[in-house]
mmCIF file of all heavy atoms in Angstrom:
data_model
loop_
_atom_site.group_PDB
_atom_site.id
_atom_site.type_symbol
_atom_site.label_atom_id
_atom_site.label_comp_id
_atom_site.label_asym_id
_atom_site.label_seq_id
_atom_site.Cartn_x
_atom_site.Cartn_y
_atom_site.Cartn_z
ATOM 1 N N LEU D 85 -1.666 -6.765 -26.387
ATOM 2 C CA LEU D 85 -2.302 -7.733 -27.298
ATOM 3 C C LEU D 85 -3.702 -8.152 -26.851
ATOM 4 O O LEU D 85 -4.292 -9.075 -27.414
ATOM 5 C CB LEU D 85 -1.416 -8.979 -27.413
ATOM 6 C CG LEU D 85 -0.034 -8.758 -28.060
ATOM 7 C CD1 LEU D 85 0.822 -10.011 -27.929
ATOM 8 C CD2 LEU D 85 -0.190 -8.378 -29.536
ATOM 9 N N SER D 86 -4.240 -7.465 -25.835
ATOM 10 C CA SER D 86 -5.476 -7.970 -25.227
ATOM 11 C C SER D 86 -6.666 -7.990 -26.185
ATOM 12 O O SER D 86 -7.548 -8.822 -26.032
ATOM 13 C CB SER D 86 -5.820 -7.151 -23.980
ATOM 14 O OG SER D 86 -6.056 -5.799 -24.324
ATOM 15 N N GLU D 87 -6.705 -7.096 -27.152
ATOM 16 C CA GLU D 87 -7.845 -7.098 -28.077
ATOM 17 C C GLU D 87 -7.388 -7.382 -29.516
ATOM 18 O O GLU D 87 -8.019 -6.951 -30.470
ATOM 19 C CB GLU D 87 -8.607 -5.766 -27.964
ATOM 20 C CG GLU D 87 -9.270 -5.647 -26.600
ATOM 21 C CD GLU D 87 -10.095 -4.377 -26.428
ATOM 22 O OE1 GLU D 87 -9.498 -3.290 -26.340
ATOM 23 O OE2 GLU D 87 -11.330 -4.473 -26.377
ATOM 24 N N ASN D 88 -6.309 -8.114 -29.618
ATOM 25 C CA ASN D 88 -5.766 -8.482 -30.920
ATOM 26 C C ASN D 88 -6.279 -9.883 -31.275
ATOM 27 O O ASN D 88 -5.823 -10.884 -30.722
ATOM 28 C CB ASN D 88 -4.233 -8.454 -30.816
ATOM 29 C CG ASN D 88 -3.544 -8.752 -32.117
ATOM 30 O OD1 ASN D 88 -3.954 -9.654 -32.857
ATOM 31 N ND2 ASN D 88 -2.493 -8.003 -32.412
ATOM 32 N N TYR D 89 -7.256 -9.943 -32.196
ATOM 33 C CA TYR D 89 -7.878 -11.257 -32.441
ATOM 34 C C TYR D 89 -6.919 -12.220 -33.122
ATOM 35 O O TYR D 89 -7.014 -13.435 -32.957
ATOM 36 C CB TYR D 89 -9.189 -11.114 -33.221
ATOM 37 C CG TYR D 89 -9.050 -10.759 -34.681
ATOM 38 C CD1 TYR D 89 -8.848 -11.741 -35.639
ATOM 39 C CD2 TYR D 89 -9.121 -9.439 -35.104
ATOM 40 C CE1 TYR D 89 -8.714 -11.403 -36.980
ATOM 41 C CE2 TYR D 89 -8.992 -9.088 -36.425
ATOM 42 C CZ TYR D 89 -8.781 -10.072 -37.368
ATOM 43 O OH TYR D 89 -8.643 -9.740 -38.678
ATOM 44 N N ALA D 90 -5.946 -11.642 -33.876
ATOM 45 C CA ALA D 90 -4.964 -12.516 -34.526
ATOM 46 C C ALA D 90 -4.146 -13.269 -33.465
ATOM 47 O O ALA D 90 -3.887 -14.470 -33.591
ATOM 48 C CB ALA D 90 -4.035 -11.693 -35.420
ATOM 49 N N PHE D 91 -3.790 -12.546 -32.422
ATOM 50 C CA PHE D 91 -3.029 -13.179 -31.333
ATOM 51 C C PHE D 91 -3.866 -14.255 -30.649
ATOM 52 O O PHE D 91 -3.398 -15.376 -30.415
ATOM 53 C CB PHE D 91 -2.583 -12.110 -30.330
ATOM 54 C CG PHE D 91 -1.892 -12.672 -29.120
ATOM 55 C CD1 PHE D 91 -0.714 -13.391 -29.248
ATOM 56 C CD2 PHE D 91 -2.424 -12.488 -27.844
ATOM 57 C CE1 PHE D 91 -0.069 -13.916 -28.129
ATOM 58 C CE2 PHE D 91 -1.793 -13.014 -26.728
ATOM 59 C CZ PHE D 91 -0.614 -13.729 -26.868
ATOM 60 N N ALA D 92 -5.112 -13.904 -30.336
ATOM 61 C CA ALA D 92 -5.996 -14.883 -29.687
ATOM 62 C C ALA D 92 -6.136 -16.114 -30.583
ATOM 63 O O ALA D 92 -6.154 -17.260 -30.110
ATOM 64 C CB ALA D 92 -7.360 -14.259 -29.405
ATOM 65 N N ASN D 93 -6.204 -15.869 -31.879
ATOM 66 C CA ASN D 93 -6.349 -16.958 -32.841
ATOM 67 C C ASN D 93 -5.113 -17.860 -32.858
ATOM 68 O O ASN D 93 -5.221 -19.098 -32.888
ATOM 69 C CB ASN D 93 -6.609 -16.359 -34.231
ATOM 70 C CG ASN D 93 -7.010 -17.423 -35.227
ATOM 71 O OD1 ASN D 93 -6.279 -17.685 -36.174
ATOM 72 N ND2 ASN D 93 -8.138 -18.081 -34.985
ATOM 73 N N ILE D 94 -3.942 -17.250 -32.821
ATOM 74 C CA ILE D 94 -2.699 -18.045 -32.790
ATOM 75 C C ILE D 94 -2.662 -18.896 -31.524
ATOM 76 O O ILE D 94 -2.310 -20.069 -31.547
ATOM 77 C CB ILE D 94 -1.476 -17.109 -32.894
ATOM 78 C CG1 ILE D 94 -1.413 -16.536 -34.317
ATOM 79 C CG2 ILE D 94 -0.185 -17.852 -32.547
ATOM 80 C CD1 ILE D 94 -0.380 -15.449 -34.495
ATOM 81 N N CYS D 95 -3.056 -18.293 -30.398
ATOM 82 C CA CYS D 95 -3.102 -19.054 -29.144
ATOM 83 C C CYS D 95 -4.012 -20.265 -29.308
ATOM 84 O O CYS D 95 -3.658 -21.382 -28.913
ATOM 85 C CB CYS D 95 -3.601 -18.175 -28.000
ATOM 86 S SG CYS D 95 -2.423 -16.909 -27.507
ATOM 87 N N GLU D 96 -5.186 -20.033 -29.868
ATOM 88 C CA GLU D 96 -6.130 -21.143 -30.074
ATOM 89 C C GLU D 96 -5.470 -22.243 -30.900
ATOM 90 O O GLU D 96 -5.576 -23.435 -30.579
ATOM 91 C CB GLU D 96 -7.392 -20.623 -30.782
ATOM 92 C CG GLU D 96 -8.319 -19.834 -29.849
ATOM 93 C CD GLU D 96 -9.305 -18.914 -30.597
ATOM 94 O OE1 GLU D 96 -9.346 -18.960 -31.842
ATOM 95 O OE2 GLU D 96 -10.013 -18.152 -29.913
ATOM 96 N N LYS D 97 -4.779 -21.849 -31.967
ATOM 97 C CA LYS D 97 -4.141 -22.840 -32.840
ATOM 98 C C LYS D 97 -2.990 -23.559 -32.174
ATOM 99 O O LYS D 97 -2.735 -24.736 -32.437
ATOM 100 C CB LYS D 97 -3.638 -22.160 -34.122
ATOM 101 C CG LYS D 97 -4.784 -21.820 -35.075
ATOM 102 C CD LYS D 97 -4.285 -21.239 -36.376
ATOM 103 C CE LYS D 97 -5.442 -20.860 -37.269
ATOM 104 N NZ LYS D 97 -5.074 -19.759 -38.189
ATOM 105 N N GLU D 98 -2.289 -22.825 -31.287
ATOM 106 C CA GLU D 98 -1.134 -23.425 -30.600
ATOM 107 C C GLU D 98 -1.573 -24.257 -29.400
ATOM 108 O O GLU D 98 -0.739 -24.833 -28.703
ATOM 109 C CB GLU D 98 -0.165 -22.329 -30.139
ATOM 110 C CG GLU D 98 0.474 -21.528 -31.258
ATOM 111 C CD GLU D 98 1.682 -22.243 -31.885
ATOM 112 O OE1 GLU D 98 2.103 -23.267 -31.323
ATOM 113 O OE2 GLU D 98 2.174 -21.774 -32.926
ATOM 114 N N GLY D 99 -2.863 -24.270 -29.120
ATOM 115 C CA GLY D 99 -3.349 -25.048 -27.986
ATOM 116 C C GLY D 99 -3.090 -24.384 -26.651
ATOM 117 O O GLY D 99 -3.045 -25.039 -25.611
ATOM 118 N N VAL D 100 -2.904 -23.060 -26.672
ATOM 119 C CA VAL D 100 -2.712 -22.312 -25.431
ATOM 120 C C VAL D 100 -4.030 -21.611 -25.118
ATOM 121 O O VAL D 100 -4.620 -20.993 -26.002
ATOM 122 C CB VAL D 100 -1.607 -21.248 -25.611
ATOM 123 C CG1 VAL D 100 -1.458 -20.409 -24.356
ATOM 124 C CG2 VAL D 100 -0.294 -21.911 -25.977
ATOM 125 N N VAL D 101 -4.485 -21.730 -23.873
ATOM 126 C CA VAL D 101 -5.760 -21.103 -23.539
ATOM 127 C C VAL D 101 -5.589 -19.589 -23.437
ATOM 128 O O VAL D 101 -4.752 -19.101 -22.674
ATOM 129 C CB VAL D 101 -6.326 -21.665 -22.225
ATOM 130 C CG1 VAL D 101 -7.633 -20.949 -21.863
ATOM 131 C CG2 VAL D 101 -6.539 -23.157 -22.319
ATOM 132 N N PHE D 102 -6.350 -18.860 -24.222
ATOM 133 C CA PHE D 102 -6.350 -17.402 -24.158
ATOM 134 C C PHE D 102 -7.392 -17.008 -23.109
ATOM 135 O O PHE D 102 -8.582 -17.309 -23.266
ATOM 136 C CB PHE D 102 -6.714 -16.834 -25.539
ATOM 137 C CG PHE D 102 -6.738 -15.332 -25.599
ATOM 138 C CD1 PHE D 102 -5.566 -14.615 -25.805
ATOM 139 C CD2 PHE D 102 -7.928 -14.632 -25.460
ATOM 140 C CE1 PHE D 102 -5.586 -13.226 -25.871
ATOM 141 C CE2 PHE D 102 -7.951 -13.239 -25.516
ATOM 142 C CZ PHE D 102 -6.778 -12.536 -25.724
ATOM 143 N N ILE D 103 -6.948 -16.359 -22.028
ATOM 144 C CA ILE D 103 -7.887 -16.017 -20.951
ATOM 145 C C ILE D 103 -8.658 -14.766 -21.370
ATOM 146 O O ILE D 103 -8.221 -13.643 -21.163
ATOM 147 C CB ILE D 103 -7.163 -15.853 -19.605
ATOM 148 C CG1 ILE D 103 -6.472 -17.183 -19.256
ATOM 149 C CG2 ILE D 103 -8.153 -15.454 -18.502
ATOM 150 C CD1 ILE D 103 -5.567 -17.129 -18.059
ATOM 151 N N GLY D 104 -9.797 -15.013 -21.995
ATOM 152 C CA GLY D 104 -10.619 -13.961 -22.570
ATOM 153 C C GLY D 104 -11.598 -14.625 -23.520
ATOM 154 O O GLY D 104 -11.766 -15.846 -23.491
ATOM 155 N N PRO D 105 -12.248 -13.811 -24.348
ATOM 156 C CA PRO D 105 -13.230 -14.380 -25.276
ATOM 157 C C PRO D 105 -12.556 -15.121 -26.431
ATOM 158 O O PRO D 105 -11.325 -15.119 -26.545
ATOM 159 C CB PRO D 105 -13.971 -13.141 -25.781
ATOM 160 C CG PRO D 105 -13.015 -12.014 -25.614
ATOM 161 C CD PRO D 105 -12.140 -12.358 -24.448
#
Side-chain angles (χ1 to χ4, degrees):
Chain D
L85 295 172
S86 62
E87 293 182 290
N88 183 318
Y89 73 85
F91 175 61
N93 190 246
I94 289 171
C95 290
E96 284 160 5
K97 285 184 182 153
E98 296 278 351
V100 177
V101 178
F102 180 84
I103 300 172

